Amino acid sequence: MDTHRNYENLDYAIGFGNYVETEALKGAVPKGQNSPQKCAYNLIAEQFSGTAFTLPRASNQKTWLYKIRPSAAHSPFVDAPEFGKYVKNDFLNDHGLTITPNQLRWKRLPIPEKPTTFAEGLVTVCGAGDPSIKQGIAIYLYAANKSMTNSSMFNSDGDFLIVPWEGEMLITSEMGKMTVKPREICVIPRGIKFSVEMTQPIRGYICEVFKGHFRIPDLGPIGANGLANPRDFLVPVAFYENTEEEFQIINKYLGKFYKCTKKGSPYDVVGWHGNYYPFKYNLDLFNAMGTVTFDHPDPSIFTVITCQTDEPGVAVCDFAIFPPRWMVAEHTFRPPYYHRNVMSEYMGNISGQYDAKEGGFQPGYGSLHSLLQGHGPDHESFTKWSNIDLQPIRYPYENLAFMFESTYMFKTCTFVMDDQVNLDHDYYHCWDKLAHNKLGDKP
């Protein structure tokens, strides 16, 4: 799995949501205008819009690319049935979907037995809505063991939030290169071409939002600092390939995959400026907030990035993490309490143990607790944390779990209910002993 691009000693621009200008060749980006009659180096100017032209300036996202060849120059797209065998995005149509209110848990997605690229290794677990109306969300697992060589993909349906748990991803995009390893995340916005290479097999999780884009949450009473700080987000800088080789372009459009060919690399952007681009973030830099008195706080204070619906405060997806941190709350059941949530919760484990499921939620596992369905710690965790001596405890560095939380009610894909991704049929038994809990004496 040798790669053909150099990912060592990469440079990045710094900050979330900044307007960035970057050149691989000095003078590639014109000064004073976006589309001169003739660009430097005989480049072609191409605007890439991530939002409607007329959106308010504060919300408008676009990038100007200065390319060797325009994106329009390619063969016609044709169906690509070799991709997307386990991908589904139309959750309004019940064909191939399972509706269940039960608590669900899946074990790890296996590493493929045959060579499989990132574009081939996507498996949709659940979701809601339909990208054709730009409403909804999809959650995936991915597993791959082959680099995308002379191959690139882009997603017309939504933004990808990628959460690796095994193996480092080497990502080339139109805006430049970045590496993303476990304990880091990246976002590839809608429409941006990218390739994934690797030096070892990779596995992880993806959340796709069909409308809007991810942003860092407002802090409210927390104040000006804390959680994910803007300065810790990294943006790739201009990099280009000038080649006559033929590339395959893969497009996910309304949940189906198409392919075409083009002469030359899609990564021929010699310079660019704008605020629509991929970015990455190191989860170890998250400045966690928590109680220093009593009671477990709501998980919203662990939100790293969010994509909001049109209703303020209600998310298409809140991406929250449960990082290493001090736990000092007194007279308190410290893990997440038993609850029924008006949001749907998909959880994954990146590394170590999750305090509410210490024995049954290993790295690479995933669980789905649907809207208003009761869930919480298993019996062993409940017993331990109900009786432990409440001294200050430092959760170890190895422990890192996350949650995709959404206002939508999820439908699961039938193929993940048929053991394609190791459905744990015994998950509900983790609460069996609690069903026999007896009324005791007043403490």
Side-chain angles (χ1 to χ4, degrees), residues 20 91 98 110 221 237 251 297 336 370:
V20 174
F91 297 99
T98 298
V237 295
N251 179 206
S370 296

Side-chain angles (χ1 to χ4, degrees), residues 17 29 42 101 182 228 248 266 279 300 318 354 361 369 389-390 423 429:
V29 176
N42 200 33
Q248 180 185 66
F279 58 86
S300 51
D318 282 334
Y354 176 55
F361 200 59
H369 300 136
D389 182 17
L390 292 180
L423 181 67
H429 287 303

Side-chain angles (χ1 to χ4, degrees), residues 3 14 34 187 202 210 218 238 276 281 289 341 376:
T3 63
I14 295 174
N34 296 317
V187 171
I202 59 171
F210 299 152
D218 295 328
Y276 191 65
Y281 175 75
M289 304 289 163
N341 193 355

Side-chain angles (χ1 to χ4, degrees), residues 78-144:
V78 297
D79 287 345
E82 64 269 34
F83 300 99
K85 180 180 179 182
Y86 295 113
V87 170
K88 186 171 181 61
N89 284 169
D90 177 10
F91 297 99
L92 299 181
N93 180 349
D94 286 344
H95 177 69
L97 295 169
T98 298
I99 299 175
T100 176
N102 287 322
Q103 305 101 330
L104 300 171
R105 182 166 68 190
W106 294 270
K107 299 178 182 179
R108 299 183 181 104
L109 184 64
I111 295 173
E113 295 181 359
K114 64 179 183 179
T116 302
T117 66
F118 175 84
E120 296 168 315
L122 299 174
V123 176
T124 312
V125 177
C126 58
D130 185 344
S132 69
I133 57 173
K134 292 187 177 180
Q135 295 286 349
I137 184 175
I139 292 173
Y140 305 82
L141 302 176
Y142 69 84

Side-chain angles (χ1 to χ4, degrees), residues 137-153:
I137 184 175
I139 292 173
Y140 305 82
L141 302 176
Y142 69 84
N145 56 10
K146 178 185 176 183
S147 292
M148 296 173 65
T149 303
N150 283 29
S151 177
S152 176
M153 73 172 289

Side-chain angles (χ1 to χ4, degrees), residues 212-286:
H213 300 294
F214 285 100
R215 62 177 179 84
I216 50 178
D218 295 328
L219 295 181
I222 293 175
N225 304 289
L227 307 188
N229 289 309
R231 65 178 298 212
D232 295 325
F233 288 81
L234 301 179
V235 178
V237 295
F239 151 85
Y240 73 96
E241 295 176 332
N242 187 10
T243 175
E244 298 291 317
E245 295 181 20
E246 185 174 87
F247 267 70
Q248 180 185 66
I249 308 297
I250 304 158
N251 179 206
K252 185 170 84 69
Y253 185 87
L254 296 183
K256 290 187 62 180
F257 282 77
Y258 301 85
K259 63 183 178 183
C260 71
T261 58
K262 77 179 299 292
K263 182 179 180 179
S265 172
Y267 312 121
D268 63 351
V269 180
V270 182
W272 60 270
H273 70 88
N275 61 353
Y276 191 65
Y277 42 68
F279 58 86
K280 62 176 280 189
Y281 175 75
N282 184 339
L283 299 175
D284 289 339
L285 300 178
F286 187 78

